[in-house]
Amino acid sequence: MSVLRMVQVSKVYGGGAAAVHALRDVNLLVEAGELVAVMGPSGSGKSSMLTIAGTLEDATSGEVTVDGAAIGSMSAKDRARLRRRSIGFVFQDFNLLSGLTAAENVAMPLELDGMNARQARAAAHAALERLGVLERAAHFPDDLSGGERQRVAIARAIVGERKLLLADEPTGALDSVNSESVMRLLREACTAGAAGVVVTHEAQLASWADRVVFIRDGHLVDQTSRPAGPEALLVAGTP
Amino acid sequence: MSVRHAILALLSEGPKYGLQLRQEFEARTGEVWPLNVGQVYTTLQRLERDGLVESGEADGRPHEGAQKGYRITAPGRRELVDWLTKPLDDPQPPRDELLIKVLIAVQVPGVEVHDVIQVHRRHLVETMQRYTAVKASASELDVALALVVDAELYRIEGAVRWLDTAEVRLRQHTLHIPEIADETPALLAKRANSVVAAGQRSARRRAVQR
């Protein structure tokens, strides 16, 4: 069963002559363990795909299911619960709360979901350790480097065994080596069983995905086939 | 790729045997550039002829069986430093087949240039996925491999970014190319080549004037 299923999804902002068609009949299935990159220029509709998949806004038409649950018929309360338990978000500008420490930021979605503070803190520390920033657990976001902040944001996205990871230009203004670390971590989270969708306009970042889908003017126009395997590149005379 | 200078670099660390040079060369280039023993010995002979290395005892030891040891000479060190610090030749723009194909696609009736662009973009991204998989499957500590793979990824990414830019430009503006009555493929290619050549001459002239 696909963790994310989008069928004939369209999104229109506004109405009449001023209507903007952000998505047009988009179909996308993402399986557990799979990382999919959505690649397209600014204004192509890729961020709308992510916010609809993440239940942050509604599709105008079509069907979206996350982890088997159809979100179109859900109450706002159920959607919020789904977001807390099953969906992890990584944003371009990190979106960490500056008044909370790294550990408190990571523990917050679990505490909001009713987990007691001690358990949530333990889970947060485990996630921070997995991302190599446990020693920064007690620091506030302003005291962290850009790379550390993004690792904390990823820890928050994967804490509590989320089923679906959604990342919008997740490397932001990070340098290329830190960007690669972010993609490596998202890749590892998917290998561990999550389904992941990352939207980006950068081919280097997209190339970390199992599959790259190309979006233009709200349409998914093309996708890569599954790579033949890296060993094919390593022959005499290449590159 | 200069095997000659790579060997000088390895010998700058200390005297070495031929086989050892081959193994170290491959290890340090992420084993992506295989080197045969013949290449190593031919290069060493030329370096010795030019006075840049000398053979004899390696590491203070006499020859080990048939193996000869080599050490770098003072002129060899100068040659190595000169090569490392010499800027690359100002390259002539390459004859870029992708550019030619896009220029021709604009002119061919019934062919949608944006579809042509997407086919090439997909192929390039698939190739990048294979290179990234090489990097992903290796340790982050394998710096030599990462450097080699990065070089190829950035080269391909440049082509993808050019396609992205070309797509936007062709959406915003029309490419005006003089009409020719007889639209044979050979003429189209000739015309595209002349557009490229004129563009490259113009860009080069302006770059030199700056």
Side-chain angles (χ1 to χ4, degrees), chain A residues 3-228:
Chain A
V3 175
L4 173 65
R5 185 166 172 269
M6 302 178 83
V7 179
Q8 295 292 105
V9 170
S10 294
K11 177 69 182 176
V12 183
Y13 296 101
V20 175
H21 293 262
L23 295 178
R24 299 166 191 261
D25 298 328
V26 164
N27 292 300
L28 181 71
L29 303 178
V30 186
E31 311 296 327
E34 187 184 27
L35 179 61
V36 172
V38 181
M39 196 179 159
S42 304
S44 57
K46 55 189 193 299
S47 291
S48 293
M49 268 184 78
L50 211 65
T51 52
I52 290 170
T55 80
L56 294 172
E57 65 178 342
D58 289 323
T60 307
S61 62
E63 187 190 331
V64 181
T65 60
V66 175
D67 197 21
I71 60 177
S73 55
M74 274 184 184
S75 67
K77 192 176 163 187
D78 287 343
R79 284 184 188 207
R81 188 185 298 121
L82 181 74
R83 281 198 294 273
R84 287 196 304 269
R85 290 187 178 171
S86 299
I87 305 175
F89 295 93
V90 184
F91 299 100
Q92 183 173 9
D93 47 4
F94 318 141
N95 283 16
L96 295 174
L97 296 173
S98 59
L100 301 180
T101 65
E104 287 164 348
N105 264 287
V106 177
M108 190 178 60
L110 301 178
E111 289 190 53
L112 286 174
D113 201 34
M115 187 183 281
N116 76 49
R118 181 183 296 207
Q119 283 177 317
R121 189 63 63 92
H125 280 193
L128 288 170
E129 185 170 27
R130 198 171 145 198
L131 292 166
V133 281
L134 180 59
E135 73 281 6
R136 312 293 275 164
H139 289 75
F140 290 92
D142 287 348
D143 299 329
L144 303 175
S145 69
E148 288 170 339
R149 265 181 253 172
Q150 195 58 312
R151 280 168 188 262
V152 172
I154 294 172
R156 184 181 58 185
I158 64 172
V159 74
E161 298 180 4
R162 312 296 175 83
K163 300 277 177 49
L164 178 61
L165 285 179
L166 301 173
D168 191 352
E169 302 281 5
T171 62
L174 296 179
D175 62 55
S176 51
V177 174
N178 269 307
S179 296
E180 180 178 311
S181 294
V182 166
M183 294 311 297
R184 201 178 272 272
L185 293 167
L186 289 174
R187 170 75 272 157
E188 285 170 7
C190 292
T191 303
V197 180
V198 54
V199 304
T200 183
H201 65 280
E202 287 188 44
Q204 284 256 16
L205 301 185
S207 71
W208 282 85
D210 298 301
R211 182 158 54 105
V212 181
V213 299
F214 298 90
I215 187 168
R216 290 286 178 287
D217 301 328
H219 292 283
L220 295 190
V221 294
D222 199 5
Q223 66 175 352
T224 60
S225 52
R226 190 167 273 273

Side-chain angles (χ1 to χ4, degrees), chain A residues 180 207 209 216 222 225, chain B residues 118 121-122 126 129 132 135:
Chain A
E180 180 178 311
S207 71
R216 290 286 178 287
D222 199 5
S225 52
Chain B
Q118 177 55 30
R121 176 165 36 220
R122 178 183 4 98
E126 284 172 346
Q129 283 178 286
T132 300
K135 203 160 53 169

